[in-house]
Amino acid sequence: MKQEYILIAVDLQKDFIDGALGTAEAVAIVPAAAEKIRTVRAAGCPVVATLDTHGPDYLMGREGRFLPVVHCVKGTPGWELDPQIAQALGDGVRLEKPSFGSMELPALVRELTGTEGAGAGLTIELIGLCTDICVVSNAMILKAAFPEADLKVDAACCAGVTPEKHRAALETMASCQIEIR
């Protein structure tokens, strides 16, 4: 059955909320993000939760050299979804990604929504962390894959590395015809 709406919950993991790279702003969005996930699932629409996923050799790679803070190592507590998010997501789809954006995400969106082509009639909404890194990266990938879809970002369910970077990322996405709510 074709779905007209899908929610992408980006990297709502412990390390980005109250762990290695956590911020007060990230902690503050969790209740609203969990409520949005519950509401979308109750409406029968698909939700995909992305998981930033690294191995124990994280510091040896390019990202680790530029951001030398070990985080989201698969199997560690910091890699797990925040408990409120995990509860809201239930058995919803989880997608591991080794970098900021997921090149597999568009194919998964097509599979879960039955969307073909440029995405006319489809609404894709993004929430999550960090607005200025992984949210914007996935939004741009989805914009390229679905140029006719309505892309939206719920700013109240996102947080950036800093409040200033959060606002800058929202402005960048708005410049690319992504609706900021």
Side-chain angles (χ1 to χ4, degrees), residues 96-112:
E96 294 178 18
K97 58 181 192 54
S99 186
F100 305 138
S102 172
M103 298 305 288
E104 290 78 30
L105 188 55
L108 184 57
V109 168
R110 287 184 196 286
E111 176 186 329
L112 294 172

Side-chain angles (χ1 to χ4, degrees), residues 6 14 23 30 50 55 59-60 65 72 74 76 78 96 100 106 113 135 153 157 161 165 177 179:
I6 187 168
K14 295 279 296 160
T23 65
V30 170
T50 68
L59 292 175
M60 305 301 282
R65 289 192 304 271
C72 296
K74 187 173 181 171
T76 66
E96 294 178 18
F100 305 138
T113 63
V135 174
V153 171
C157 292
V161 172
K165 289 187 179 206
Q177 302 173 353
E179 180 184 338

Side-chain angles (χ1 to χ4, degrees), residues 143-167:
K143 182 68 176 168
F146 301 102
E148 294 300 320
D150 291 325
L151 257 70
K152 301 177 183 207
V153 171
D154 185 340
C157 292
C158 294
V161 172
T162 65
E164 297 78 20
K165 289 187 179 206
H166 169 74
R167 286 189 294 276

Side-chain angles (χ1 to χ4, degrees), residues 66-131:
F66 283 88
L67 178 63
V69 178
V70 176
H71 64 282
C72 296
V73 174
K74 187 173 181 171
T76 66
W79 177 75
E80 298 293 331
L81 290 171
D82 175 88
Q84 291 179 67
I85 300 299
Q87 181 182 33
L89 184 64
D91 64 354
V93 177
R94 290 158 170 81
L95 176 65
E96 294 178 18
K97 58 181 192 54
S99 186
F100 305 138
S102 172
M103 298 305 288
E104 290 78 30
L105 188 55
L108 184 57
V109 168
R110 287 184 196 286
E111 176 186 329
L112 294 172
T113 63
T115 299
E116 297 179 7
L122 176 65
T123 298
I124 304 169
E125 187 168 13
L126 292 97
I127 62 173
L129 305 167
C130 295
T131 318

Side-chain angles (χ1 to χ4, degrees), residues 26-75:
V27 170
I29 69 156
V30 170
E35 181 58 29
K36 181 173 280 282
I37 292 167
R38 277 192 292 280
T39 300
V40 168
R41 286 186 45 91
C45 295
V47 177
V48 173
T50 68
L51 295 165
D52 193 48
T53 303
H54 302 294
D57 61 345
Y58 169 77
L59 292 175
M60 305 301 282
R62 181 172 176 79
E63 182 181 331
R65 289 192 304 271
F66 283 88
L67 178 63
V69 178
V70 176
H71 64 282
C72 296
V73 174
K74 187 173 181 171

